[in-house]
Amino acid sequence: MTDFGLTGEGILPGHAIEALAGRGAILSARPFDEDQVQPASLDLRLGPVAWRIRASFLPGPRETVAERLDGVRLHELDLSGGEVLETGCVYLVELEEALALPADIAASANPKSSTGRLDIFTRVIADRTRAFDVVPAGYQGKLYLEISPRTFPILVRQGSRLSQIRFRRGDARLDEAELAALNTSDRLVDAMSPDVAGGGIAVSVDLSGAGFSGLLGFRAKRHTGLIDVDRRAACEVEDYWEPLMTRGRRELILDPDAFYILASKEAVHVPPTHAAEMVPFDPLVGEFRVHYAGFFDPGFGHAAAGGLGARAVLEVRSREVPFMLEDGQIVGRLVYERMMERPRTLYGEALGSNYQAQGLKLSKHFRSWSREG
């Protein structure tokens, strides 16, 4: 990577991602979209063809995804004009971006924030791999996206962006001592006594309703209309979501297999020199999980980038039994990684970022909502 003008270990910033593409390490038949490169990640675009498959799979170390696909595909969909992906079904799409990574650069993928908030389950698959969302250093080959809408049927098309990928060199993750020191200097969460353990800083759920006029969150409705993933502010909240009000209680019973949008009690801060990722909390503490891990770009919640007081939005799903979630209960941890270099543009700065300075916010596909309607 010395010929890219960067040294050391860490997450590659947006300008280094563009340099990778310029040197042929990221391949695509079309130029990047204007806003495709983010401060610490690259959005991935759907290709022209999708396959409905009967089961999710991993190719393993000896086969490509295309070789395994022959045994599981049911039918083919043409995405060039748009297609509906139904709930409860599993689809596979070859992505427009392929990789020819240097030997010292690896990558990892995650659903975009808007994807998680629509309860769309996505995972990137690379050839000859044993894990989802993980691309080994030096990888040469195509990328595919597994898509399974869980709650809402969705309309997608070639070029739709549901997932994002980060590139890194070396081990950039902060250990517990480094994380505690960063929290002392930059106040990563606004808790009085932050819980720093296992290399992550705890994030808890806000069920007080105090900051949102008594609103605890939203529960997704069943049997709704379509959501076009590329259209902003096109859907009415009430057609897809049931608002949940506190009624004086600081708890919420999660219905089995229901999907909820809640907010963290803590405001979250990601300094410009770091990136963060939400990881699920210990599953042994309850029959629920924060459904999607998520990337937090450098500058999220950063005051200088207009993000003072940004909460983490939590996509929560219960398991097989009802579970009572209480105000202040830990639901996930933020792990922080060093950036290889400070991004030239931070999250929220001239990017049209959808969730900077957010509170309890649904995805960009919904019109604004207030308690009065």
Side-chain angles (χ1 to χ4, degrees):
M1 282 293 292
T2 55
D3 57 340
F4 289 85
L6 298 173
T7 59
E9 297 184 341
I11 301 291
L12 272 64
H15 56 278
I17 294 173
E18 292 173 339
L20 274 181
R23 299 295 180 91
I26 305 172
L27 308 170
S28 177
R30 296 193 298 135
F32 287 161
D33 297 340
E34 184 178 351
D35 60 346
Q36 191 173 346
V37 178
Q38 300 296 315
S41 63
L42 173 71
D43 291 350
L44 298 171
R45 299 174 293 188
L46 300 184
V49 178
W51 298 273
R52 184 179 168 190
I53 57 178
R54 60 189 177 92
S56 175
F57 68 90
L58 280 167
R62 295 182 180 84
E63 292 186 280
T64 66
V65 173
E67 290 167 343
R68 291 296 304 273
L69 179 60
D70 286 339
V72 296
R73 64 181 172 184
L74 298 175
H75 63 264
E76 185 174 300
L77 296 84
D78 180 4
L79 298 188
S80 59
E83 282 283 355
V84 175
L85 305 187
E86 300 284 356
T87 58
C89 300
V90 185
Y91 302 87
L92 189 73
V93 183
E94 183 180 332
L95 295 167
E96 289 195 342
E97 290 75 30
L99 300 178
L101 294 178
D104 60 346
I105 299 296
S108 60
N110 229 308
K112 288 175 58 65
S113 294
S114 295
T115 303
R117 295 181 202 206
L118 292 180
D119 200 20
I120 307 169
F121 187 67
T122 68
R123 299 188 287 197
V124 168
I125 310 175
D127 290 336
R128 299 183 177 87
T129 54
R130 292 176 170 171
F132 295 106
D133 287 332
V134 175
V135 181
Y139 176 77
Q140 315 269 320
K142 298 177 179 180
L143 297 174
Y144 298 80
L145 188 66
E146 177 190 313
I147 308 170
S148 182
R150 303 292 302 276
T151 296
F152 309 119
I154 59 173
L155 178 63
V156 301
R157 56 188 59 80
Q158 182 179 6
S160 295
R161 289 144 50 179
L162 300 180
S163 188
Q164 57 192 340
I165 192 167
R166 276 185 177 167
F167 302 90
R168 61 173 55 79
R169 181 168 64 180
D171 182 7
R173 183 168 171 171
L174 303 187
D175 61 27
E176 192 169 318
E178 292 170 327
L179 185 62
L182 182 64
N183 182 64
T184 299
S185 63
D186 288 83
R187 200 179 188 197
L188 305 179
V189 296
D190 62 355
M192 291 294 294
S193 301
D195 181 342
V196 180
I201 192 163
V203 174
S204 65
V205 64
D206 186 353
L207 295 177
S208 69
F212 309 111
S213 301
L215 180 69
L216 296 183
F218 296 89
R219 178 168 53 210
K221 293 183 176 181
R222 301 287 188 178
H223 315 297
T224 67
L226 275 176
I227 296 178
D228 185 333
V229 300
D230 296 323
R231 292 188 64 195
R232 299 184 183 212
C235 300
E236 296 289 350
V237 172
E238 293 84 352
D239 293 337
Y240 296 84
W241 299 95
E242 176 190 356
L244 303 172
M245 309 307 297
T246 178
R247 294 178 296 175
R249 305 182 68 178
R250 296 188 171 215
E251 60 191 29
L252 177 65
I253 296 178
L254 304 176
D255 293 331
D257 204 33
F259 180 69
Y260 299 81
I261 295 293
L262 305 173
S264 69
K265 185 170 284 291
E266 301 82 9
V268 172
H269 174 216
V270 183
T273 52
H274 290 76
E277 181 178 355
M278 178 83 78
V279 297
F281 191 50
D282 185 352
L284 299 179
V285 303
E287 290 299 313
F288 74 95
R289 67 160 291 168
V290 178
H291 195 218
Y292 302 96
F295 289 156
F296 290 75
D297 273 323
F300 180 87
H302 189 57
L308 185 63
R311 307 285 190 98
V313 166
L314 310 170
E315 303 100 0
V316 177
R317 179 180 287 279
S318 186
R319 300 185 193 272
E320 290 80 6
V321 300
F323 183 79
M324 182 178 292
L325 198 60
E326 298 182 351
D327 182 51
Q329 188 163 345
I330 295 175
V331 293
R333 287 189 179 273
L334 281 173
V335 298
Y336 283 74
E337 293 184 275
R338 286 177 290 273
M339 294 295 299
M340 185 179 290
E341 187 175 283
R342 190 186 195 276
R344 293 173 182 169
T345 303
L346 300 177
Y347 186 86
E349 284 184 350
L351 289 178
S353 304
N354 294 297
Y355 307 117
Q356 184 68 294
Q358 68 183 357
L360 183 53
K361 189 172 182 180
L362 296 171
S363 74
K364 63 186 180 184
H365 307 90
F366 298 96
R367 299 188 181 102
S368 59
W369 181 89
S370 67
R371 182 173 178 177
E372 291 75 25

